[in-house]
Amino acid sequence: MSAPGSPSLPATGDSGAPSLPAGSEGKFPQLSRDPLVSQDDAGALGGLRAHDHDDSAVASTFDRSTNPVAAVMPNRDAECEKIGEGGVCRMHKFTLYETATRYYVVGTDMLERSYRVLKIDRTADSGDLSIAEDDIVYSKSEVRQLLDAIDDGNRSTGGMRLKCSTWGILGFIRFTGAYYMLLITKRSQVAMIGGHYVYQVDGTELVTLTTSASSRFKQDRNPEEARFLGILNNLDLTRSFYFSYSYDITRTLQHNIAREREALGQGQARSDPDSFNAMFAWNHYLLEPAVETLKNTYDWCLPVVHGYVDQATLSVYGRTVYITIIARRSRFFAGARFLKRGANDLGYVANDVETEQIVSEMLTTSFHAAGAKLYANPNYTSYVQHRGSIPLYWTQDNTGVTPKPPIELNLVDPFYGAAALHFDDLFERYGTPIYVLNLVKSRERSPREAKLLKEYTNAVKYLNQFLPDDKKIIYKAWDMSRASKSRDQDVIGTLEVIAEDVVQTTGFFHNGDFDTTGPQMQNGVARTNCIDCLDRTNAAQFVIGKRALGHQLHALGVIQDTSIDYDTDAVNLFTHMYHDHGDTIAVQYGGSHLVNTMETYRKINQWTSHSRDMVESFKRYYNNSFLDGQRQEAYNLFLGNYIFAQGQPMLWDLSTDYYLHHADPRAWAQKGRRHYMRWFTPEALRVRELPPVPRPSQIGRKPLGFFDDYWLEYYRPLALSSFVKIFSYRMNSTLRYIPFKSTQEGRYDLSPFCVRAGAETEQAAERKRPRKGVNFSEANEESSDDASSQVSHVTSTSKRVSIHRWLQPQLAQLSEKSTSATVGQSSILKDAHHARALPEPAPVADKTQSTQWTLDEFVTHALNPSVTAAETAEYERYVSHPLKLPLVVSTAAPRDPASELVEYVHGLASAEAVAAMRVGEEDVQDYREFLTVSDNPLTVGPADAPKKRYKAYRQWLKGKSLFKQLRVDP
């Protein structure tokens, strides 16, 4: 294994490469900072081209120069020669080249001006990792000449080939033989915080560091190695794994800004890049070999977190507010649902997830305020919550077929050592006070969760005895499951009261300086748990997060009050984000999505949500019974809980992984027992304070790019892009749900804090409304005039138009009628006061009521005939009409009606009529057959088949439908 202080890479190949001129051995020319790129440089390093953020890194060949061994002259205008001399120089793209005996990783920055090289030996002994890191920063032309020289020196063994292009290195891992290198091949942007992008891993590749298949150094792979690779492949690294090049996503925004302020106050340009939180770095075990070998490990390797990241935009009348949710899952005591319960003897609990919501107004992008105020932007706020299993020694055996195995308390510790270690860790991470919200069941027919409720309550009481009065753990137990099934209890209302108390107790983080704005820090955290820390916990965390969202928006000056109503665009967007957050956490731990969602606890859409809850319950039961074992093995192998050693059992031969997650019992005698009363760390109880803003004298005259490279990462100067590929443009927003037609008509309130409730019921009533109806008026009601009938027509027509659930109805307006009858109306709308003055249309009666009403009125009018006032007026108007016509207009005498009868009778007695009335022989024969009745008239014999009356029966015998035949005369 090479030492960390390995010399710089020589410019020769691995074998037989010509050397460089004298004076350039061991060191290459300094970096050229000339922004102009020559045409020769533009064609070099095709594998290092800028890729779209959402596309995979596709390998391509590099271009050879005409003279690979040309003399390299030093550049006297270079600003820096070694790493760190020129400020921030992060690498964002990597290219992997291979020869017969070496791997070369070439990294470049965002603008493709600075390049660095890493060499990996492929001929090292099994179990050794030989890596050499070059401290020199190269320009594009310099690194091209270096690669040409390496390729020319390896002509005898096939030269140098481009293996692949990657977005980063996740680390190195070995099982029984040689090491493997895990690379990120695909990524996608999911969030932007302070100008720094957060990416999701969409594709990975495992590259073996042994020699190639055609080399004489090739090593055979044993069956155990192949099985370990199969177990590792069971872990899908393309789901819910996130990383960032320039922002520490393993820590909260409050910690990152406070750390940077403290570093600037001490005269440092930036904080230590190695100070990420190892608790949430899921590739920590893969990074250990790189940490032991490389000097700048995290310039090449990226820590990844496992959990959930989402970001959305809240548009408030042109003001843009970003809502970001980051969930970080702990790698300690991690596993599947029934296989990891409670806590281990180190104080780590199962399903430990830290959830942070960042609310920021994007007036400016970076964390810096105007002027020389670094990391003092007052437009950033954050709030942190925590969830985790009950910190006791308890398990559930799922070897049977029951979906709810019994809960067993394996060890009753009178001093509650595991809970003490856990709460001491929470004090160190979040400060005080800790607000514990316990949502397990309190009353059950056969006690299951109730046993944990009693033991957990006793543990908190015991630990609170030795804490100061103002630092005690706040404990709140509430049976949320029983309350949700009760009709007289309001689950959301109770959670709202608890949430307001939580936010007032812990506070939230608000950045700023001490001159213009008063920043504040979050001291303490809300720790929520149920039995699984999934369904009930996610609903409670959503309500707490909703209350915190109101306080954060109020602190940013977006709203006047600190509360937001339900069924608004802002809360609906926030609900969808937390629902996806809960689904992701539930899949990672329980194997299925949330069983009970916010719709369940709000008691809306109960039939739809009930069927969905049943399906998710079946999925969770299936995964817990058949797939959790494979998932747990993959976790243990990836996280380094199991490490292969000669003479030790294989991973698949272990009957339990208990000793993989707990301390070695043989080491208990070597370390002292923790004090039963002083179980906490006094330094962790201190109040968190935000360091002051660095003074200009501490910063000097250095540019902002020396401290933060957000400008290059977010704005990407000298790069051509489009709106479709810009993440801020593609981000989910409340503007996407605004109906464009309604905004043109002026019927939509653009505020995301306007309640849209009630529209669903109106829409449902509109769907249930009968298509046809009868309008009935009273007997003494006068007929409406033309204007009122027109209003009725317009109103009935407008009701047929489907309106989105969050649109507000507006009174239809009618325009004034034109005086000319031939000229049509310019508009069917009219002023509101004119419409109100007109009589309203009669309501549409129900069909059953209208039928009954018509029958009653018919009988009444038939027995008591009457003439209405309207009919009387109509008749009087007709009588008094000046152009009425006489009833008799001719002097001819009317024809006698009796003469018509006489003519008809004489016509029947004529000879022609008698001849026409004769009956034919065929008709007589048919009549005789009709009168002939057989002994069994219901039986149809062969002789009856040709008869006319059985035509339909004959068709039915041929296979035709009897009901589709035409009517047959008898």
Side-chain angles (χ1 to χ4, degrees):
M1 182 178 294
S2 63
S6 302
S8 301
L9 287 176
T12 60
D14 294 331
S15 59
S19 60
L20 292 174
S24 59
E25 298 179 357
K27 186 170 67 173
F28 280 86
Q30 300 176 357
L31 170 66
S32 175
R33 295 291 181 174
D34 189 2
L36 299 178
V37 181
S38 63
Q39 295 181 357
D40 296 336
D41 295 341
L45 290 175
L48 298 176
R49 298 296 181 191
H51 307 285
D52 292 335
H53 290 291
D54 297 335
D55 298 335
S56 61
V58 181
S60 60
T61 59
F62 64 94
D63 298 332
R64 288 287 307 272
S65 64
T66 56
N67 186 9
V69 293
V72 182
M73 301 301 295
N75 190 346
R76 302 179 182 274
D77 298 331
E79 295 183 6
C80 67
E81 179 182 358
K82 295 298 185 72
I83 300 301
E85 294 182 358
V88 179
C89 181
R90 295 187 177 93
M91 293 181 291
H92 290 253
K93 292 182 286 292
F94 304 86
T95 305
L96 181 64
Y97 298 94
E98 65 171 339
T99 63
T101 56
R102 298 287 188 273
Y103 275 123
Y104 294 91
V105 181
V106 180
T108 179
D109 62 349
M110 202 65 165
L111 299 179
E112 298 186 12
R113 295 178 181 176
S114 304
Y115 295 88
R116 295 166 60 184
V117 181
L118 186 71
K119 184 179 72 173
I120 305 174
D121 189 2
R122 303 177 65 182
T123 60
D125 296 336
S126 179
D128 292 339
L129 182 63
S130 178
I131 305 178
E133 181 183 4
D134 195 350
D135 292 338
I136 304 299
V137 180
Y138 299 96
S139 66
K140 180 175 291 187
S141 60
E142 293 166 353
V143 76
R144 181 192 61 186
Q145 295 173 8
L146 173 63
L147 296 177
D148 290 345
I150 295 175
D151 179 52
D152 203 53
N154 288 273
R155 287 293 183 88
S156 60
T157 57
M160 184 172 63
R161 297 172 300 276
L162 184 67
K163 178 69 174 179
C164 63
S165 297
T166 72
W167 298 112
I169 303 175
L170 290 180
F172 304 88
I173 188 173
R174 66 180 294 266
F175 306 118
T176 62
Y179 272 92
Y180 296 87
M181 180 170 57
L182 190 59
L183 305 175
I184 302 174
T185 57
K186 292 182 181 180
R187 68 178 186 182
S188 60
Q189 298 170 349
V190 292
M192 191 276 297
I193 306 174
H196 306 282
Y197 281 113
V198 179
Y199 299 91
Q200 178 178 345
V201 178
D202 291 336
T204 58
E205 182 178 354
L206 194 64
V207 179
T208 176
L209 298 185
T210 58
T211 54
S212 60
S214 61
S215 175
R216 57 188 177 89
F217 299 104
K218 181 179 181 297
Q219 299 179 359
D220 296 332
R221 180 179 298 174
N222 52 44
E224 290 79 7
E225 185 82 6
R227 187 162 184 178
F228 277 120
L229 288 174
I231 294 176
L232 184 63
N233 289 333
N234 290 332
L235 180 62
D236 190 2
L237 295 176
T238 63
R239 297 181 59 183
S240 306
F241 283 89
Y242 307 92
F243 69 94
S244 177
Y245 296 103
S246 53
Y247 180 77
D248 188 3
I249 59 175
T250 63
R251 296 190 181 274
T252 62
L253 177 66
Q254 173 176 300
H255 184 276
N256 289 336
I257 290 188
R259 180 183 59 184
E260 295 296 337
R261 282 193 178 190
E262 185 177 358
L264 290 174
Q266 296 174 359
Q268 303 176 6
R270 68 194 64 85
S271 61
D272 186 7
D274 302 347
S275 61
F276 64 90
N277 193 349
M279 184 178 191
F280 301 114
W282 269 60
N283 59 336
H284 183 270
Y285 171 67
L286 279 71
L287 296 176
E288 290 179 356
V291 172
E292 297 175 357
T293 307
L294 300 177
K295 293 177 294 184
N296 304 288
T297 304
Y298 303 103
D299 290 348
W300 303 93
C301 303
L302 302 171
V304 296
V305 299
H306 186 39
Y308 173 79
V309 177
D310 190 18
Q311 191 173 51
T313 303
L314 190 66
S315 180
V316 187
Y317 293 112
R319 301 176 64 178
T320 302
V321 179
Y322 280 4
I323 302 178
T324 311
I325 295 181
I326 303 177
R328 309 173 182 93
R329 177 176 294 278
S330 172
R331 67 181 179 92
F332 300 123
F333 204 51
R337 179 188 178 198
F338 285 134
L339 301 181
K340 290 293 168 285
R341 290 295 210 185
N344 61 2
D345 53 7
L346 300 177
Y348 299 115
V349 297
N351 198 20
D352 189 324
V353 180
E354 174 187 277
T355 302
E356 178 184 16
Q357 63 183 50
I358 301 175
V359 181
S360 57
E361 185 178 2
M362 301 308 296
L363 292 177
T364 55
T365 303
S366 68
F367 295 128
H368 317 295
K373 298 179 181 179
L374 298 181
Y375 299 97
N377 191 345
N379 296 322
Y380 279 88
T381 64
S382 72
Y383 183 77
V384 181
Q385 300 184 65
H386 178 270
R387 74 169 70 184
S389 186
I390 298 177
L392 301 173
Y393 297 112
W394 62 282
T395 58
Q396 282 184 283
D397 186 11
N398 68 329
T399 55
V401 295
T402 174
K404 293 184 178 181
I407 296 176
E408 299 179 2
L409 282 167
N410 306 101
L411 177 63
V412 179
D413 184 4
F415 304 104
Y416 302 100
L421 290 171
H422 175 66
F423 282 108
D424 188 32
D425 178 64
L426 293 183
F427 287 153
E428 183 179 358
R429 290 158 58 184
Y430 308 111
T432 58
I434 303 297
Y435 198 110
V436 176
L437 180 57
N438 188 11
L439 303 175
V440 298
K441 298 177 181 178
S442 59
R443 295 176 59 183
E444 296 173 296
R445 293 182 179 179
S446 57
R448 292 178 61 257
E449 300 183 14
K451 295 188 296 184
L452 295 178
L453 173 63
K454 180 180 179 181
E455 194 70 14
Y456 194 17
T457 305
N458 294 334
V460 175
K461 289 182 179 179
Y462 171 80
L463 297 176
N464 270 338
Q465 297 179 90
F466 314 107
L467 287 173
D469 294 338
D470 58 339
K471 308 295 182 182
K472 292 184 181 296
I473 302 172
I474 303 175
Y475 182 75
K476 173 70 175 180
W478 180 50
D479 191 347
M480 182 176 174
S481 177
R482 185 179 182 86
S484 63
K485 298 176 182 179
S486 178
R487 295 184 178 180
D488 58 347
Q489 295 193 35
D490 184 9
V491 177
I492 303 301
T494 306
L495 288 177
E496 285 282 351
V497 176
I498 297 175
E500 182 63 26
D501 188 21
V502 167
V503 176
Q504 293 290 347
T505 302
T506 61
F508 62 95
F509 170 69
H510 185 198
N511 193 24
D513 54 17
F514 295 90
D515 298 332
T516 58
T517 59
Q520 55 180 334
M521 299 280 284
Q522 179 179 348
N523 285 274
V525 72
R527 187 196 188 279
T528 310
N529 72 269
C530 53
I531 197 65
D532 295 323
C533 301
L534 296 180
D535 304 335
R536 287 169 282 178
T537 299
N538 194 76
Q541 283 196 337
F542 162 75
V543 178
I544 297 175
K546 172 182 167 296
R547 297 296 299 182
L549 176 64
H551 284 270
Q552 291 173 285
L553 293 175
H554 175 72
L556 295 176
V558 179
I559 58 177
Q560 296 181 352
D561 198 2
T562 58
S563 62
I564 311 176
D565 297 329
Y566 286 92
D567 298 315
T568 59
D569 291 346
V571 174
N572 289 339
L573 182 68
F574 193 68
T575 303
H576 293 320
M577 297 177 68
Y578 251 92
H579 188 273
D580 295 341
H581 160 263
D583 279 342
T584 305
I585 299 301
V587 169
Q588 295 168 4
Y589 182 65
S592 70
H593 295 92
L594 291 174
V595 175
N596 298 314
T597 61
M598 280 303 299
E599 292 183 351
T600 306
Y601 295 110
R602 291 188 64 188
K603 299 179 180 180
I604 56 178
N605 297 332
Q606 297 190 25
W607 289 105
T608 306
S609 61
H610 182 66
S611 59
R612 176 197 172 278
D613 297 347
M614 293 180 60
V615 173
E616 295 301 331
S617 298
F618 292 139
K619 288 183 181 179
R620 184 173 296 182
Y621 171 72
Y622 174 80
N623 284 277
N624 298 155
S625 301
F626 303 104
L627 302 180
D628 281 356
Q630 301 177 8
R631 191 150 51 98
Q632 189 64 54
E633 288 183 350
Y635 283 154
N636 293 334
L637 190 62
F638 182 79
L639 295 174
N641 298 327
Y642 173 85
I643 301 176
F644 171 78
Q646 292 291 342
Q648 299 296 328
M650 293 295 179
L651 176 61
W652 49 85
D653 293 333
L654 296 176
S655 59
T656 178
D657 63 346
Y658 177 85
Y659 296 104
L660 302 180
H661 295 269
H662 292 73
D664 190 354
R666 293 170 292 187
W668 289 354
Q670 301 178 3
K671 58 182 180 180
R673 187 181 296 273
R674 193 180 183 92
H675 200 281
Y676 296 136
M677 299 177 62
R678 293 189 297 272
W679 57 269
F680 56 90
T681 305
E683 291 78 10
L685 303 182
R686 59 180 177 84
V687 178
R688 310 295 173 92
E689 296 180 355
L690 188 64
V693 179
R695 297 186 300 272
S697 59
Q698 297 174 325
I699 301 175
R701 302 182 62 86
K702 297 179 181 179
L704 181 59
F706 186 84
F707 305 95
D708 192 1
D709 61 346
Y710 79 94
W711 182 272
L712 300 180
E713 185 174 2
Y714 180 65
Y715 292 100
R716 299 187 63 189
L718 305 180
L720 178 62
S721 184
S722 60
F723 282 114
V724 180
K725 295 183 179 181
I726 296 178
F727 174 74
S728 302
Y729 180 79
R730 296 183 288 108
M731 192 187 306
N732 188 24
S733 172
T734 54
L735 293 177
R736 294 181 180 270
Y737 306 105
I738 296 178
F740 179 74
K741 182 178 179 181
S742 300
T743 56
Q744 287 183 327
E745 297 176 358
R747 297 182 300 172
Y748 187 80
D749 189 352
L750 295 177
S751 173
F753 308 106
C754 179
V755 180
R756 315 295 182 191
E760 286 188 356
T761 57
E762 294 177 2
Q763 191 174 7
E766 186 67 30
R767 290 193 298 265
K768 294 180 180 179
R769 183 172 298 165
R771 295 183 179 180
K772 297 180 180 179
V774 181
N775 293 339
F776 300 97
S777 59
E778 297 296 335
N780 56 356
E781 183 182 8
E782 297 184 0
S783 59
S784 58
D785 55 1
D786 297 338
S788 62
S789 62
Q790 185 178 3
V791 172
S792 175
H793 171 73
V794 172
T795 306
S796 60
T797 306
S798 62
K799 289 182 180 180
R800 298 191 189 101
V801 180
S802 60
I803 302 177
H804 199 272
R805 63 182 183 86
W806 25 258
L807 292 181
Q808 292 184 347
Q810 189 181 19
L811 185 62
Q813 299 178 350
L814 297 176
S815 63
E816 297 183 357
K817 297 171 57 178
S818 176
T819 56
S820 174
T822 59
V823 180
Q825 294 181 346
S826 60
S827 174
I828 61 173
L829 300 181
K830 202 173 186 178
D831 293 339
H833 62 276
H834 290 295
R836 285 192 294 265
L838 298 175
E840 297 183 356
V844 179
D846 187 72
K847 285 187 177 182
T848 57
Q849 296 179 359
S850 62
T851 304
Q852 185 68 28
W853 187 91
T854 305
L855 181 60
D856 294 343
E857 289 294 320
F858 175 78
V859 174
T860 302
H861 283 278
L863 298 178
N864 303 304
S866 61
V867 179
T868 62
E871 294 174 345
T872 304
E874 179 67 18
Y875 182 73
E876 291 178 353
R877 186 183 67 85
Y878 169 75
V879 173
S880 59
H881 198 281
L883 298 180
K884 64 178 181 178
L885 301 177
L887 296 179
V888 179
V889 296
S890 176
T891 57
R895 187 178 181 182
D896 188 7
S899 60
E900 297 181 1
L901 177 61
V902 172
E903 293 179 359
Y904 174 73
V905 173
H906 289 308
L908 291 178
S910 63
E912 294 81 1
V914 173
M917 293 175 59
R918 291 182 179 180
V919 180
E921 186 66 24
E922 184 180 356
D923 296 335
V924 175
Q925 185 65 25
D926 292 340
Y927 182 68
R928 290 175 180 175
E929 292 180 0
F930 179 76
L931 295 178
T932 303
V933 179
S934 60
D935 298 336
N936 191 1
L938 299 180
T939 303
V940 180
D944 300 328
K947 292 183 178 180
K948 193 174 181 180
R949 68 179 66 180
Y950 299 113
K951 180 179 179 181
Y953 179 68
R954 292 194 302 269
Q955 298 292 340
W956 179 77
L957 291 177
K958 294 180 181 180
K960 296 185 179 180
S961 176
L962 181 64
F963 301 99
K964 292 183 179 180
Q965 304 299 324
L966 297 177
R967 185 177 61 84
V968 180
D969 297 334

